[in-house]
């Protein structure tokens, strides 16, 4: 006997096809579907595959496609007529073209069609059409459209009957369903096949493709604002092929009687592969309101029907419908961004801060710059590539920010703070004897802990009237609070996206320098009376000075709103400055440059009756147990002043006095 191998048999599976298009095209196809309307004298016959290879699920999808197409047809006895034949082992007339004469009736009848099952005898169904024609149809002057919905797996030959149907003047569309055999569907369809072969898996797309092929011929021309376009599309087939997975011991026969030999036989497994077939599709696409790109500043346009839309706007935008900036930096400040460019923040973090800075400026400043803006970078060294006030428009500032490069190196935040306090701001003359002295704000952007101390450097900067704001992740929360000296001036984000959500908060923090969170009363004259006796000591004096300084920022100092005076007393009282001496906050806080020791206060025990006579009410008597606790009473004192606003407004005197008396028992 001859040699033979005992091996398993493996059959290849068929492929499936999809049509892939970009999202913009899909949106336009969907918009066109709302306008499609074919009103002409046409006879349309659906030929539905109801075989077992299709199955009930795909048969229902075929019915869905047929109903979807009916939405675009003007079904009427004198215009479009529709009939249906289901085929499997044999063709079966479901309803003739003259059975149902309204769209609703036809769609309801399609829904009631029952899956029959059987073999796929497509050729036999075509011969039925050749013999019977279009049951219930009209004469030969009325165009005939045959729509075959099948997987293309016919049991017999279809080429000859298909050719004969087309030779009789019938336009044939071949619509694939489930896992189509595309070669057979192309043979069934009319020319050009790109316009007559469709995929029913996406009913809206297939209906659009069929309408596109008919428009301009049997149907009316495309609706206004829409046109038939040819665009590249991708037909993907998921196929299965066999590959050798290994070998196993098998027995090989021999010419010798009753003798077999052991051998190794290969075995195979199926591997699914995706095969892409570039093609061209023809679809009717309509313009939509997003074509004009109405959303500004990176907003995403979302169409709502054919003539309406809305914009999805990034944080900081959304005023109106076009993503115009909804924030604004309505305060005049000298603003310096101090960006960490060290190795600790990494290149990714540095680029994130650049993007954040650009988004912030776009969101709050529009085209013109209401503030003088600059940018400093630091690592081991500090540099100011964009000086404060160097640019007068956002566009040129953006170009300079784009040019900033990551440097790496150590994270010396303390050194950077001291440097910008000394060199970050320059006063420029407005008139010969007047300086443009705006409030100065430094925004620190860091995500890396400093390698040098920051407390003394930050205090050095704050002593020079710089408002410090810290922006960073929760990893550096404590250090940011140490830099700013106030938790309210620290902005902590949880993840990279959350950083951009903090833009409105940063805008508020920057403008708090001109619009403090305290009350804004009318005609308020505020006098600080502080104990300047020798028992205070230098360390306590520094805390008192910071406390009074911080309180003064909570009021708008000018002749029309708030005037502040300072009286220091020890063995005798001394007016350091009168109510009309200073016309703004910055001028008030620069007395120390002239060597005058201001805001000197001593705290401790004192006689209650004496204090009540001074305060006038227990509500305005505040006891401070220690100098360290002063910072905790700032909000309380401001609140008490604000509570007195109604009293000030009703007072008969035009000059109103609020005395904050911080006293102690001198040792």
């Amino acid at each position: 006997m001859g040699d033979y191998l005992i091996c398993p048999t493996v059959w290849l599976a068929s492929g499936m096809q999809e049509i892939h298009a970009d999202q913009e095209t899909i949106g336009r196809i969907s918009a066109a579907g709302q306008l499609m309307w074919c009103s002409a004298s046409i006879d349309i016959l659906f030929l539905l595959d109801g075989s077992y290879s299709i199955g009930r699920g795909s048969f229902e999808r075929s019915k869905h496609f047929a109903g979807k197409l009916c939405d675009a047809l003007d079904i009427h006895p004198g215009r479009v007529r529709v009939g249906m034949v289901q085929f499997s082992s044999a063709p079966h007339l479901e309803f003739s073209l003259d059975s149902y004469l309204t769209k609703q009736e036809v769609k309801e009848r399609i829904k009631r069609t029952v899956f029959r099952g059987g073999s796929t005898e497509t050729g036999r169904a075509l011969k039925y059409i050749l013999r019977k024609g279009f049951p219930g149809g009209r004469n030969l002057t009325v165009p005939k459209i045959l729509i075959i919905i099948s997987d293309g797996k016919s049991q017999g030959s279809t080429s000859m009957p298909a050719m004969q149907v087309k030779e009789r003047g019938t336009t044939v569309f071949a619509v694939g369903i489930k896992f189509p055999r595309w070669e057979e569907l192309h043979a069934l369809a009319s020319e050009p096949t790109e316009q007559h072969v469709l995929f029913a898996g996406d009913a809206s797309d297939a209906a659009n493709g069929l309408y596109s092929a008919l428009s301009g011929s049997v149907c009316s021309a495309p609706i206004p604002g829409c046109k038939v376009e040819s665009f590249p599309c991708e037909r993907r087939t998921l196929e299965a092929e066999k590959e050798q997975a290994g070998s196993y011991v098998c027995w090989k026969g021999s010419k010798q009687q009753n003798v077999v030999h052991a051998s190794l036989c290969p075995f195979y497994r199926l591997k699914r592969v995706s095969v892409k077939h570039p093609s061209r599709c023809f679809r009717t696409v309509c313009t939509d309101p997003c074509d004009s790109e109405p959303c500004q500043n990176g907003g995403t346009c979302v169409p709502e029907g054919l003539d309406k839309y809305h914009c999805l706007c990034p944080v900081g935008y959304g005023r109106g419908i076009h993503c115009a900036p909804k924030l604004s930096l309505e305060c005049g400040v000298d603003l310096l961004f101090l960006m960490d460019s060290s190795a600790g923040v990494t290149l990714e973090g540095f680029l994130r801060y650049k993007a954040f800075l650009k988004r912030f400026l776009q969101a709050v400043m529009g085209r013109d710059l209401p503030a003088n803006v600059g940018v400093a970078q630091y690592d081991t060294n500090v540099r100011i590539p964009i000086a404060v006030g160097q640019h007068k428009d956002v566009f040129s500032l953006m170009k300079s920010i784009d040019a900033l490069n990551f440097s790496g190196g150590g994270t010396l935040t303390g050194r950077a703070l001291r440097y910008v306090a000394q060199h970050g701001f320059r006063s420029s003359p407005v008139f010969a004897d007047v300086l443009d002295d705006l409030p100065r704000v430094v925004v620190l952007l860091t995500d890396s802990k400093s390698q040098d101390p920051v407390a003394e450097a930050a205090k050095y900067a704050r002593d020079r009237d710089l408002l410090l704001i810290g922006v960073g992740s929760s990893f550096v929360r404590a250090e940011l609070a140490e830099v700013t000296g106030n938790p309210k001036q620290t902005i902590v984000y949880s993840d990279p996206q959350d950083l951009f959500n903090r833009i409105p908060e940063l805008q508020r923090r920057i403008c708090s320098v001109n619009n403090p969170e305290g009350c804004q009363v009318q005609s308020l004259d505020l006098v600080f009376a502080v104990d300047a006796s020798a028992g205070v000591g230098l360390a306590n004096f520094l805390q008192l000075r910071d406390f009074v300084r911080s309180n003064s920022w909570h009021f708008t100092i000018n002749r029309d709103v708030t005037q502040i005076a300072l009286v220091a007393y020890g063995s005798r009282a001394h007016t350091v400055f009168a109510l009309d001496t200073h016309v703004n906050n910055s001028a008030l806080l620069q007395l120390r440059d002239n060597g005058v020791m201001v805001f000197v206060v001593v705290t401790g025990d004192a006689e209650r009756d004496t204090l009540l006579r001074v305060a006038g009410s227990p509500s305005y008597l505040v006891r401070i147990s220690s100098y360290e606790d002063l910072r905790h009473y700032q909000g309380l004192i401001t609140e008490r002043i604000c509570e007195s606003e109604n009293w000030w407004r009703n007072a008969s005197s035009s000059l109103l006095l609020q005395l904050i008396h911080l006293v102690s028992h001198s040792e």
Side-chain angles (χ1 to χ4, degrees):
M1 71 187 276
D3 294 344
Y4 62 92
L5 295 175
I6 303 175
C7 296
T9 301
V10 179
W11 298 95
L12 291 180
S14 300
M16 69 176 226
Q17 185 265 358
E18 295 178 359
I19 294 178
H20 294 263
D22 59 85
Q23 290 299 316
E24 180 181 0
T25 300
I26 292 173
R28 290 168 176 252
I29 288 172
S30 177
Q34 303 176 45
L35 298 176
M36 290 189 308
W37 185 248
C38 184
S39 181
S41 184
I42 316 170
D43 285 348
I44 296 178
L45 182 65
F46 287 105
L47 190 60
L48 260 64
D49 187 345
S51 64
Y52 289 131
S53 64
I54 286 288
R56 294 183 184 274
S58 293
F59 183 75
E60 291 299 318
R61 283 190 286 273
S62 299
K63 289 165 52 179
H64 174 69
F65 164 69
K68 188 77 174 177
L69 181 61
C70 288
D71 289 333
L73 301 177
D74 184 13
I75 299 176
H76 184 274
R79 290 182 286 275
V80 181
R81 292 187 182 184
V82 175
M84 178 177 286
V85 172
Q86 181 181 173
F87 73 94
S88 52
S89 301
H92 173 78
L93 178 63
E94 295 291 346
F95 60 92
S96 61
L97 282 88
D98 56 358
S99 298
Y100 304 101
L101 303 179
T102 67
K103 180 185 300 186
Q104 189 62 34
E105 289 175 340
V106 171
K107 292 183 66 175
E108 287 295 329
R109 179 60 181 84
I110 291 174
K111 288 182 179 179
R112 295 199 308 268
T113 303
V114 178
F115 175 71
R116 294 181 177 273
S119 59
T120 312
E121 299 288 349
T122 311
R124 188 173 179 180
L126 291 172
K127 291 176 183 178
Y128 173 87
I129 302 300
L130 289 171
R131 291 195 315 271
K132 301 287 187 178
F134 279 36
R138 288 162 285 187
N139 58 39
L140 295 178
T141 62
V142 178
K144 301 288 191 290
I145 308 295
L146 179 64
I147 303 175
I148 306 172
I149 308 177
S150 172
D151 61 1
K153 301 174 185 177
S154 179
Q155 303 297 320
S157 175
T158 60
S159 57
M160 183 58 70
M163 182 181 65
Q164 291 173 338
V165 169
K166 288 180 284 187
E167 286 177 346
R168 291 188 179 184
T170 301
T171 301
V172 180
F173 286 87
V175 183
I177 192 70
K178 198 176 181 181
F179 305 114
R181 185 176 293 158
W182 294 102
E183 296 82 359
E184 183 173 315
L185 293 179
H186 277 78
L188 292 173
S190 296
E191 295 288 342
T193 56
E194 291 84 359
Q195 296 187 38
H196 293 86
V197 175
L198 306 169
F199 181 54
D202 187 336
S204 297
D205 176 72
N208 185 299
L210 191 144
Y211 172 84
S212 302
L214 294 178
S215 63
S217 56
V218 294
C219 293
S220 56
I223 51 252
C226 304
K227 61 181 178 179
V228 177
E229 286 187 354
S230 168
F231 62 93
C233 58
E234 182 181 278
R235 298 190 175 189
R236 180 176 297 177
T237 303
L238 186 62
E239 298 177 346
E241 62 182 23
K242 68 177 183 179
E243 65 176 3
Q244 184 174 342
S247 300
Y248 66 96
V249 177
C250 60
W251 300 99
K252 181 183 295 186
S254 173
K255 293 182 180 180
Q256 299 178 9
Q257 189 174 6
N258 299 327
V259 177
V260 294
H261 300 286
S263 182
L264 291 178
C265 295
F267 66 91
Y268 300 88
R269 64 183 175 190
L270 290 178
K271 177 183 179 183
R272 291 187 175 270
V273 293
S274 178
V275 181
K276 300 177 183 179
H277 304 280
S279 184
R280 297 203 69 80
C281 294
F282 293 83
R283 298 293 184 270
T284 296
V285 294
C286 301
T287 57
D288 62 47
C290 290
D291 287 344
S292 60
E293 299 181 353
C295 302
Q296 305 167 5
N297 300 308
T300 301
C301 183
V302 180
E304 296 177 346
L306 301 174
D307 56 357
K308 296 181 180 179
Y309 67 91
H310 70 272
C311 296
L312 298 177
C313 304
V315 175
Y317 299 90
R319 189 173 61 195
I321 62 173
H322 299 124
C323 295
K326 66 180 180 181
L327 301 173
S328 60
L329 199 65
E330 297 176 349
C331 55
V333 295
D334 286 342
L335 179 59
L336 180 65
F337 289 91
L338 180 58
M339 296 177 61
D340 188 345
S341 182
S342 68
V345 81
T346 73
L347 174 60
E348 179 183 2
F350 176 75
L351 295 177
R352 184 185 308 130
Y353 283 135
K354 279 181 61 173
F356 170 77
L357 178 54
K358 291 174 61 177
R359 178 70 62 83
F360 173 82
L361 295 174
Q362 288 175 324
V364 304
M365 294 193 175
R367 294 182 179 180
D368 300 322
L369 290 173
N372 299 318
V373 180
V375 180
Q377 284 181 253
Y378 76 94
D379 43 75
T380 307
N381 301 307
V382 192
R383 53 207 170 279
I384 306 178
I386 305 175
V388 173
Q390 177 180 336
H391 296 285
K392 300 303 179 183
D393 63 274
V394 172
F395 179 75
S396 60
L397 178 58
M398 292 294 180
K399 292 182 64 177
S400 296
I401 293 174
D402 283 333
L404 299 178
N405 295 316
F406 178 69
S407 54
T411 309
L412 300 184
T413 307
R415 179 178 181 180
L417 290 169
R418 188 176 293 272
Y419 182 90
V420 296
Q422 295 172 343
H423 308 288
F425 300 88
R426 292 287 185 268
S427 295
S428 57
V430 179
F431 301 105
D433 57 345
V434 180
L435 295 180
D436 179 15
D437 198 12
L438 295 173
R440 295 169 174 178
V441 180
V442 176
V443 178
L444 172 65
L445 301 172
T446 182
D447 196 24
S448 178
K449 290 185 178 180
S450 180
Q451 296 171 340
D452 66 340
V454 298
E456 286 300 321
K459 186 174 184 303
Y460 177 85
R462 295 196 302 269
D463 287 346
R464 279 151 181 77
D465 304 331
L466 300 186
L467 174 66
L468 302 182
I469 300 173
V471 179
S473 70
S474 56
F475 178 69
V476 291
R477 180 194 299 268
E479 187 170 288
L480 291 178
E482 190 176 14
V483 167
T484 62
N486 185 349
K488 291 185 178 181
Q489 289 166 213
T490 63
I491 299 175
V492 178
Y493 60 91
S494 57
D495 54 64
Q497 180 55 46
D498 187 46
L499 170 63
F500 293 91
N501 296 335
R502 302 295 178 175
I503 288 176
E505 183 179 356
L506 177 58
Q507 181 260 353
R508 292 194 300 270
R509 293 288 172 253
I510 291 174
C511 284
S512 68
V513 68
N514 274 344
N515 300 290
E517 296 178 355
C519 59
Q520 304 300 308
V521 298
Q522 297 178 351
S523 302
L524 169 63
D525 292 336
L526 179 62
V527 177
F528 287 94
V530 297
D531 187 345
S533 60
V536 175
L538 178 60
N540 293 331
F541 156 71
L542 294 177
Q543 295 190 61
L544 287 170
R545 182 195 65 179
D546 290 343
F547 173 76
V548 177
R549 174 200 303 277
S550 181
N551 268 281
S552 67
W553 279 116
H554 283 259
F555 302 91
T556 300
I557 300 174
N558 60 53
R559 292 186 177 95
D560 297 323
V561 183
T562 301
Q563 295 188 121
I564 291 183
L566 175 64
V567 175
Y569 66 91
S571 57
R572 60 175 184 158
H574 168 64
T575 302
V576 180
F577 53 81
L579 287 165
D580 59 351
T581 301
H582 301 292
V583 295
N584 59 51
N585 294 67
S586 296
L588 170 67
L589 297 181
Q590 290 168 359
L591 286 167
R592 68 176 188 285
D593 294 337
N594 299 322
V596 179
M597 297 180 67
V598 297
F599 311 135
V600 180
V601 180
V602 179
T603 63
D605 298 326
E607 294 183 3
R608 177 178 173 81
D609 292 341
T610 302
L611 295 178
L612 281 175
R613 285 196 299 271
V614 175
S617 168
S619 298
Y620 303 116
L621 175 58
V622 179
R623 285 189 176 275
I624 308 296
S625 60
S626 65
Y627 289 99
E628 289 76 10
D629 291 339
L630 276 172
R631 56 192 176 93
H632 301 303
Y633 287 83
Q634 176 178 311
L636 175 63
I637 293 175
T638 303
E639 180 181 343
R640 293 289 168 83
I641 295 175
C642 295
E643 290 174 352
S644 304
E645 181 177 352
N646 292 332
W647 180 83
W648 290 325
R649 287 179 176 174
N650 296 328
S652 58
S653 174
S654 60
L655 178 63
L656 306 178
L657 172 64
Q658 171 68 42
L659 177 64
I660 299 179
H661 197 144
L662 305 177
V663 298
S664 74
H665 176 71
S666 301
E667 295 179 359

